[in-house]
Amino acid sequence: MDDYLVGVLSNIGVISFIALSAYLLLLIGAISFGQQAFFAIGAYAAGIATALWGWPLWLALGWGAAMGGVAAVLVGLPTLRLHGLYFAIATLAFAEMVRLLFEQFRYQVTIDGEPVGPNGTDGFRGIRYIFENDVGPLQFLALIYGLLAVVLAGLMLLERSRLGAAFRMIGEDPTLAALNGIAVARAQLLAAALAGALAGLGGGLYAHLTTYLEPRIFDVMLGVHGLAYGLIGGLGTALGPLIGVLIDIGMLESIRVFAGYRMIIFGGLVAVLLIVRPRGLLDERLVHRIGRACSGLFGRPRPDKNGAERKPA
Amino acid sequence: MLEISDLVTAYGKIEALKGVSLRAESGRITCLLGPNGAGKTTLMMSIAGILQPQRGAIRLDGVELTGLTPARIVTAGVALVPENRLVFPRMSVRENLLAGAYQRKDKAEVAIDAERMYARFPRLRERREQLAGTLSGGEQQMLAVARALMSRPRVLLMDEPSLGLAPLVVAEIFRIVAELNRDGTTIFLVEQNAHMALQVAHHFFLMEQGRVTFSGTPGQLAEDEVIQRAYLGARRAG
Amino acid sequence: MTAIRLACALAAAIGLPAAAYAQTRAKADVTCRPSGTTLQYDCSIMLTNARTSEPLGGVTLTVGADMPSMPMMHNVRPVAATPGAQAGTYQARLTLEMHGDWALQLNLSGPLRDRVVTTLRFDPDKVAPAAKAPPRHKH
Amino acid sequence: MVDFVQNTLDGVMTGSSYGLLALGFTLIFGVMRRLNLSYGPSIMIGAYLGTLVYVQLSAGPLVVIAVTLLGAVLAGLYVERLCFAPMAAGAGVASMVSSFAIWMQLEQAAVLALPRHTYPFPPLATGAPLNLGPFLLRVDHLIMLTGALALSACVHLLIYRSHFGLGLRAIINNPVAAHLVGINVRAAIVRAFALASAVGGVAGYLVLAVDQQVTPMFGMWATIKGLIAMMIGGLGSIPGAILGGLLLGVIEAHSQWYFGPHIRDLFAYLALFACLALRPGGLLGEALHEPFERGA
C-alpha cells in the first residue's frame, strides 16, 4: 500500500477514538463539544513522555490516556449535573481554555544540543519515537487498529453489561435512572473518565503519527466533528461513530476530485442525511430490528411480532 | 354544527381513534364521557388540527376541516380549551387574552371583548397584569376559557376543564359552561366527571378504546348505568 | 506553570535514559514562492543532517500540507519532490485549497526515515514563515 | 484609575456588538429552543457579499449595509429551511449538528468565492478620536455602541409592543397553545429567523467596519462570542443578551489590558465556564428545565 493510503487509514483510525469518546458521552445523554481537549492533553502528555523522558511507547500512551481521564473527571465534577445545553457549552469553554493554555505552555529539554518540547504557539516538534525505534508506517497502522479493536470489543461488552444499561438509562431519563437505584452522578463521572481516556489514547497515537503538535490543531472544529460522527453514524452501537468517520474522511478522500468543493457537498449531505434519519444511520430502532432479525435467524424465540412502538412524548 | 365521521387517528401503528362518528348540535352542550386512554384528548387534538387523522372527516357547518393547519381551523371558528389549560405562563393575563384574539384585526372590538371577559370572570380583572403562571389552577382554567372565547368561536371545545380542580371550583366551571351556552355558544365538552357533565349536557356520547359505544340524552340512561358502562366496562352482550 | 514544570522534571527523573538518537535526524529549510497560477506554489527544500549539517542527498522525499485547524480534514495529497542540482536540494510544486497558514510535512522515506514539519503562511503574492501570533481575528 | 474607566468604556463599546450577536442567538433559541451553530457563518456570508460589492463596485456604506443585511437574512433563511424546518419536534441535537454541517458549507463557499485571507470593509468613520476629559473615544466605536443600543431598543419594542412580538412570545411560552390560539407558528418562526439574521447582519457590519477587514474566521468568531454573551446574559432573555454582551466586552477589555490578547480570550472562556457552573440560568434568564430533546 502506498504511503498516502496508509496515511489516510491511520487518520481514520486516530479520529475514531475521538468519535467513540463523544459517542460514549452521548450514550449518557451528554453532548460534549470538548473531547478535543482530552485529545490534546493525551497528545502532549504522550509526546512529552517519549520525546523528553524517553519512556517506551505503550507506557506513554497509557500515561496520555490516564491524563485524559483525570482531566475529564476534573471538568466533569462541576458540569455533569448541568442541563444538557449548559454542559455542551461548558465543555466548549473548557476545551478552548485548554487550547489557550497550551499556547502558553513551554517545557523544553535540550537533547543532542537541540531544545525539544512544547514551545507555546510554535508547537511541539520532534516526537520522533517511530523513527528512532524504526516503527514502520504499516506497523504503526497495525498498532492503531489493534488498540481500536480492543476499545471496540470493550465497548461492545459494555453495551451488554449492567453498566452499559445504566448509561443508556441515564441517557434516556436521569431521574428515572436514579429512581431505579442507579448512582447517576458516579456513572456519569465514570462515563466522562472513560471518554476522556479514550480521547487521550487517541491523542497519544496522533502525536506519534504526525510527530508534530500545535495548539491550533485542537480547536472547536475537531470536537464538533467528533460529536457529529456519532450522530451521523447512529447511536445504536459503537460502530455508528466509525461509520460517521468513514463517511466523513472516506468521503473527503474519495471526492478529492472536487478538491475545493468537498466541504460544500459534504455539509449539504450531512444536513440532508439528518433530516431523513435524525438519530443517525445505525440508530437504536434499526439496531433493535437487526437484533430481532438475527435472533430470528438463529432460532432464538422472538419477542411478539408487533413490538409496541413508543408513543411520542 | 360540528360533525365527525369515521375518524381514525394513530400514533405510529397504534390506532387511538378507530373510526369515531359523532355530532355536536349548534347552540347545545354536547358531552363526551370515557375513561382515561379512551382517545378523548386525541379526538380533541385531531379536531384542532394538532394531530393529523389518517382517515375520516371533520366538518363545521358543512365546511371541511380535516387536514387544515390549526391556525386555519381557528379561523374557521373552532376554539379549544386544552387539557391542563396550557396558559402562556410568562405572559400577563391581559396578554394571554390578547393572544387569544391573535387572528382578529378589529382592535376596538377585541378591547370590548376583553372587558366582557373581565366582567364574566371578575377574578381575572384583579390579576390582569399578573403573570399567568402565578395563577391558581381554577384561575388558569378560567383564563384558558376566556382566551379561547376571545377568538369568538362558533364552537368551543373544552378538554376536561375539571381536571385537578377543587370541587367548589369545578361547580363554578360547570356553572360558567351552562351560562356560556345560554348566551348562545355551542359547546363540545370532554369530561371524566360524569356526574357534573350529565347535569349540563343536552346530549352525550360514551367512548371506550377509540370507539363511540353509546349516544343519547342524559335522561335515557340512569346515571349509575352510564358510569358503570363508561368506566367499569359493561359486558359486551349487555 | 511552575507546578507543571516540577511534575515534568520529576517524571523525567524516574524515566529511562533519553532514547539514544541512533538515527540521524534531518533538518529542512523550506522557501516557497507563488508559481503564477492561484493557490499553486513552487517550494525549494534544503535537507541537512541536524547534527553535522552536511547536505542529505539521494533521499526519496514527499511533501504534504495540512491546515493547522483540523489537520486530518483540510489536507493536500503529498507530492513527490524532485532532487535539485546540488546534493540535498529538492523541488516540489504544491497546490493548496486556501490561503493562510499551512503546516508542510516533509516525509523522508528513502535510505533515511524521518519527518520534518515547518509552518508557512501562504498569501496570493508572497509566502512567509508563519507569524508568531496565529492569524486569529484581532478581537 | 483613568485606565480602568478607559478600559471599561472600550469594553462597553466592543461589548455592544457581542450583545447584538447574543440578541440574534437568543431570538432563535427563545423561539425554538434550538442552537444555531450556523448563525455566525450566515452573517459572514452577508459580510462577504458586502465586501464583494464594496471592492468590485466600490459601493458606498449604505449599499454595503443593505447587501450585508440581505445576505445575512438570505443565508439565515437557507439555514432555517435546511436544518430546522424539516426536523421533527424532538430532534434538537440533530438540527444543531445539521447547522454545524451547514457552517462548514458556508465557510467553504465564502473561501471559494473570495480566496484571499482578508478583504477590506468600508470603515464606519475615519475622524480622529474624540476626547472626553482624560478619556479617548473612537468615533467608530461610538457609532457601534449607539447603533447597537438603538437596534436592541427597537427589537425590544418589536417583541414587547407589537402584534408580531406577542405571537413570538406566545410561541416561546408554549408552542402547542400558540397553535391553538391560531398563530401560524411555522411562518412566525421563519420571520423570527429573518429578524435574528438581520440583527446579526447589523452586528456583523458594525464589527467589520470597525475592524475594516473580514476573514473567513469571522463566522466562528461571531458564533462563539454570541454564544458566550447569550449564556452569560441568560438564555432567551433579550435584556440579558445585551447585558451579557456588555459584560463580556468589559471582561475582555480589562484582561487584554492587564494580561495581553491571548489571556483575554482565556478570561472570556473562564467567565463563561464559571457562569455556567455557578449560575446556569445566566444573569437574567431562568435555568432550562425541560430536557434538551435528544432526538425523535
Side-chain angles (χ1 to χ4, degrees), chain D residues 197-214:
Chain D
S197 304
V199 166
V202 170
Y205 178 81
L206 291 174
V207 166
L208 294 171
V210 165
D211 225 18
Q212 295 182 20
Q213 64 163 1
V214 58

Side-chain angles (χ1 to χ4, degrees), chain B residues 142-161:
Chain B
M142 288 183 214
L143 177 59
V145 173
R147 179 182 66 185
L149 288 172
M150 285 297 284
S151 61
R152 284 191 177 169
R154 299 215 324 241
V155 62
L156 181 67
L157 310 179
M158 298 179 79
D159 192 348
E160 286 188 52

Side-chain angles (χ1 to χ4, degrees), chain A residues 4 15 53 55 106-107 112 114 125 128 131 135 206 209 216-217 219 221-222 225 248 252 256 262, chain C residues 5 8 15-16 21 23 25 51 68-73 75 78 97 101 113-115 117 119:
Chain A
Y4 176 64
I15 275 212
W53 303 336
W55 289 10
R106 279 173 186 69
Y107 166 58
D112 208 12
E114 284 263 331
R125 286 174 174 63
R128 304 181 58 259
F131 297 117
V135 176
Y206 175 74
L209 176 66
R216 274 186 299 176
I217 294 173
D219 75 355
M221 286 293 180
L222 189 55
H225 268 86
D248 186 14
L252 285 184
R256 182 159 281 290
R262 275 189 312 201
Chain C
R5 204 156 277 129
C8 297
L16 306 175
Y21 265 76
Q23 286 279 350
R25 234 162 20 84
R51 222 170 285 101
S69 159
M70 276 308 291
M72 288 163 264
M73 308 289 292
N75 51 25
E97 273 171 33
D101 286 4
R113 276 190 62 250
D114 199 354
R115 171 173 294 135
V117 178
T119 313

Side-chain angles (χ1 to χ4, degrees), chain C:
Chain C
M1 286 309 158
T2 47
I4 299 177
R5 204 156 277 129
L6 261 181
C8 297
L10 179 67
I14 62 170
L16 306 175
Y21 265 76
Q23 286 279 350
T24 52
R25 234 162 20 84
K27 189 166 174 301
D29 297 319
V30 185
T31 51
C32 298
R33 40 177 180 61
S35 72
T37 44
T38 55
L39 289 173
Q40 208 176 48
Y41 295 85
D42 290 328
C43 298
S44 54
I45 300 139
M46 178 66 190
L47 282 185
T48 56
N49 182 315
R51 222 170 285 101
T52 63
S53 74
E54 19 120 15
L56 294 171
V59 167
T60 46
L61 172 69
T62 59
V63 183
D66 280 339
M67 199 71 174
S69 159
M70 276 308 291
M72 288 163 264
M73 308 289 292
H74 298 285
N75 51 25
V76 168
R77 186 183 270 269
V79 204
T82 52
Q86 294 151 341
T89 60
Y90 300 83
Q91 307 294 336
R93 164 163 288 198
L94 280 180
T95 315
L96 303 178
E97 273 171 33
M98 253 167 87
H99 295 284
D101 286 4
W102 284 84
L104 296 190
Q105 285 205 353
L106 309 169
N107 298 310
L108 291 72
S109 48
L112 164 76
R113 276 190 62 250
D114 199 354
R115 171 173 294 135
V116 182
V117 178
T118 57
T119 313
L120 296 176
R121 169 163 302 176
F122 290 83
D123 283 324
D125 41 10
K126 62 173 172 37
V127 180
K132 271 278 161 282
R136 218 135 231 350
H137 199 82
K138 277 210 307 302
H139 276 266

